[in-house]
Amino acid sequence: MGFARTCAVALVGVEGVVVEVQADLEPGVAAFTLVGLPDKSLTESKDRVRAAVVNSGSAWPQKKLTVGLSPASVPKGGSGFDLAVACAVLGAAERIDPRVLSDIVMIGELGLDGRVRPVRGVLPAVLAAADAGYEQVVVPECAAAEASLVPGISVLGVRSLRQLIAVLTDEPVPEEDPDEQGRPDPLMAGLRMPGTGAATGMHSMGAAQHDHDLADVVGQHSARTAVEVAAAGGHHLFLEGPPGAGKTMLAERLPAILPRLTKGESLEVTAVHSVAGLLPPGKPLVDIAPYCAPHHSATMQALVGGGQGIARPGAVSLAHRGVLFLDETPEFGSQALDALRQPLEAGHVVIARSAGVVRFPARFLMVLAANPCPCGRFSQRDDLCECPPSMIRRYQARLSGPLLDRVDLRVEVDRVTRSELTERGARGESTDTVADRVRAARERAAARLADTPWRTNSEVPGRELRSRWYASLGAMDEAERSLERGALTARGLDRVLRVAWTVADLVGHDRPGATDVALALQLRTGVPRGVPMAIGALS
């Protein structure tokens, strides 16, 4: 009787569980049984593994073979167990020394010819292996760079099962024939999920965000200030205005003024994008803020995550540590929009399914864009709109009050005038200039919040703001009067104080003064307060 074991990783969302893959050979009629709560794709690994072993030059054992995946109570799915199953079988058949396999974690899919193909979720799988105390992992060669992002773990990248057998048995490692030049590597297809990427607006690199400059936006001084404040404090933003006024241009330029991700944030974002199949080949680490702009026909599952079986990350998780832009927000389903309330407050989303409960990170900066009415021409300054008042009310009511109450900044984007559009030499500040101010403001906030679990002003609870980081004496009087009149809710008052702290960080004040709070109130309510709408004018 032969027995061998090695390890693989089962992913539940972006969290991994190390699974022991055991192979047992007994005398009897040749058969292959796979147990341990596998799904359909994992059950099919029996045929893939058998063909890969034979085509790699090794003999398939003609005995009763049982492969167990332990713990058996954890649901397991995907093709990433193929490599571990093949090596466990070869260890039980004594083609490989079983003692060599016991402390190695193996992740990869096998082709019928024995080549090792990449799978989604390599980074979270290796993180789970490192957390469990394992020091060696075997991954597909093209995913080795992604796996190497985890410190303190030895990564072996292999291109075929033959190469792995040779390494484990101290035999000469065979060379694999290179693919034809000029053609895409077929092995890289396993790193991407069909139907995702730039076409859906769910991609990690943004809409060519570094090719856009904030100086390209004509006019819109209030909206530019709101974008800067949103980036500096991580505040959610609502842009309302007619078509063609520049709402989408502002949203697309927002990721470029956000600070680059820290190492820890990069690993969080990369893990989510790896599980979703959006990690671009050749760039294993996402180190800039993601930008996600789903179409308004997106369902609730597409926004917050879900799907059949084990839930997949949605747009709110793909935008983790970045920007979620919802253009034409009133056209989204009301149920889908209201599902955003919980992740906006908690910074994560929990999805319960029959296959298990999944938790995805979802701390993002949300930008909403909407027309003022169905025709888009409604304004307090003119009467170009032809929509009946009842239609305008119904259109604006599609955005619920509880959702808008969670948005810190609300700005009306005006039409661009002819003089603004044709005037020469009147460009606004560039992306680099604004990004420098945002970076300095983030550093001030981080220094103030150094001994706390928060890093941006938008994350600080209201009770902490009122008890530890309060504004200057008398600065909040006008905001408190707005609360008494019903113009602000208690949550809204806390958000005004958060925005005031961000404004103070941008202009270099030790604590918010009356001018900082007045600008925060104007950005929150849209009511003019007689303060300059440019950060430079407040310095």
Side-chain angles (χ1 to χ4, degrees), residues 123-137:
L123 177 60
V126 177
L127 284 170
D131 291 341
Y134 290 87
E135 299 179 351
Q136 290 182 304
V137 296

Side-chain angles (χ1 to χ4, degrees), residues 427-467:
R427 288 165 58 91
E429 292 179 313
S430 66
T431 293
D432 293 338
T433 302
V434 177
D436 290 339
R437 278 205 303 266
V438 169
R439 189 180 307 109
R442 287 271 185 134
E443 290 172 355
R444 293 189 187 100
R448 184 173 62 251
L449 304 172
D451 298 328
T452 70
W454 314 295
R455 289 296 174 265
T456 60
N457 293 322
S458 63
E459 301 174 16
V460 182
R463 64 180 184 277
E464 297 290 339
L465 283 172
R466 293 188 297 271
S467 61

Side-chain angles (χ1 to χ4, degrees), residues 369-391:
N371 297 327
C373 66
C375 76
R377 295 180 293 178
F378 175 75
S379 174
Q380 301 289 346
R381 300 178 180 85
D382 49 51
D383 55 354
L384 298 176
C385 176
E386 299 177 354
C387 302
S390 59
M391 182 181 293

